[in-house]
């Protein structure tokens, strides 16, 4: 993937989002809602059509995983991409990227 990618995090304590920019242009977002102080729910991940296929949705989700690791919180992925979009290959929930790589999924 060529191009400059920047991700910003916004959080008001109840809801938040990660916004991704590709070459300084808005490319997509992943929104979340806090479920108490120790977990948050990924409720939507979307990338603009012109940026699809560049792995930007995965970068958004992984940024939230990094945050969860650093802050010892759990992730509840409700949106289809947050749950299944980063599986390689997509064969079962048990092989979800969150479970395999960081154990930050909360069932």
């Amino acid at each position: 993937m060529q191009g400059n990618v920047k991700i910003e995090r916004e959080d008001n304590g109840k809801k938040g989002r990660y916004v991704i920019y590709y070459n300084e242009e808005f490319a997509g977002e992943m929104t979340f809602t806090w479920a108490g102080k120790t977990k948050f729910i990924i409720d939507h991940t979307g990338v603009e059509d012109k940026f699809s296929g560049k792995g930007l949705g995965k970068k958004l989700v992984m940024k939230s995983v990094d945050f969860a690791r650093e802050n010892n919180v759990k992730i509840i992925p409700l949106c289809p991409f947050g749950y299944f979009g980063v599986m390689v290959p997509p064969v079962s929930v048990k092989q979800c990227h969150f479970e395999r790589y960081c154990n930050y999924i909360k069932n």
Side-chain angles (χ1 to χ4, degrees), residues 42-68:
I42 296 175
D43 45 31
H44 172 74
T45 305
V47 173
E48 298 292 312
D49 288 341
K50 75 187 255 184
F51 298 106
S52 83
K54 296 185 181 303
L56 301 180
K58 182 175 181 177
K59 286 185 179 295
L60 286 167
V61 172
M62 291 312 300
K63 194 71 165 177
S64 73
V65 170
D66 291 343
F67 175 83

Side-chain angles (χ1 to χ4, degrees), residues 82-94:
Y83 204 85
F84 296 107
V86 292
M87 291 169 38
V88 180
V91 292
S92 76
V93 173
K94 291 297 178 195

Side-chain angles (χ1 to χ4, degrees), residues 16-19 28-32 40 42 44-46 60-61 64:
R17 69 183 188 150
Y18 287 85
V19 182
E29 70 177 357
M30 185 204 75
T31 61
F32 63 89
F40 62 91
I42 296 175
H44 172 74
T45 305
L60 286 167
V61 172
S64 73

